[in-house]
Amino acid sequence: SRTGRVAPDFPMIDVDGKPVRLADFAGKVVVLDFWATWCGPCMAAMPHTEAVAARYKDQGVVVIGSCTNDTRDKFEKWVRANAAKYPNIVWTFDPLERSPERA
C-alpha cells in the first residue's frame, strides 16, 4: 500500500499551462485523483471527489484531479466546461499525455 507515503514529484500543468508541483502543497495532505476525459467511471466519481474536497478543505486537504493518458485539448475543453461544478478540486494535466513515462 502507498497510503501515507510521500508521492514522487511529477510534471503537471493547470488549464492555463502553468506548472503545478506536489511540492507547491508542502505541509498539506494531498489526495491525487487520476482521471481522463474518456473514462466513464472517472466521470461518475467526480461528484464524490468534489464532496471529499469540499468536506476536508478546511483541514488543509487538497484534492488534485490529475488528467493523464489523455490529450491537452480534451482536458482543457472538459475543465472549461465542467470545473465550475467542482470548485474545490485543483485541475491539472499530465503534459506527457499518453507516453509510457506519464504519471
Side-chain angles (χ1 to χ4, degrees), residues 54-76:
R55 180 172 181 186
Y56 295 103
K57 70 179 180 177
D58 291 341
Q59 296 176 40
V61 175
V62 175
V63 175
I64 299 175
S66 182
C67 183
T68 189
N69 198 23
D70 214 329
T71 66
R72 183 170 174 180
D73 181 57
K74 288 181 181 174
F75 161 75
E76 289 178 4

Side-chain angles (χ1 to χ4, degrees), residues 1 13-15 17 28 31 40 48 50 60 62 65-68 72-73 85-86 92 98 100 103:
S1 171
I13 58 172
D14 68 14
V15 73
K28 295 183 180 272
V31 176
H48 173 72
E50 170 60 25
V62 175
S66 182
C67 183
T68 189
R72 183 170 174 180
D73 181 57
K85 293 185 273 190
Y86 310 108
T92 67
R98 292 185 168 155

Side-chain angles (χ1 to χ4, degrees), residues 80-100:
R80 292 189 197 289
N82 295 283
K85 293 185 273 190
Y86 310 108
N88 296 292
I89 298 174
V90 176
W91 297 105
T92 67
F93 178 71
D94 185 339
L96 297 175
E97 295 193 353
R98 292 185 168 155
S99 75

Side-chain angles (χ1 to χ4, degrees), residues 21-33:
R21 297 181 50 231
L22 290 176
D24 297 339
F25 305 99
K28 295 183 180 272
V29 172
V30 176
V31 176
L32 287 169
D33 179 42

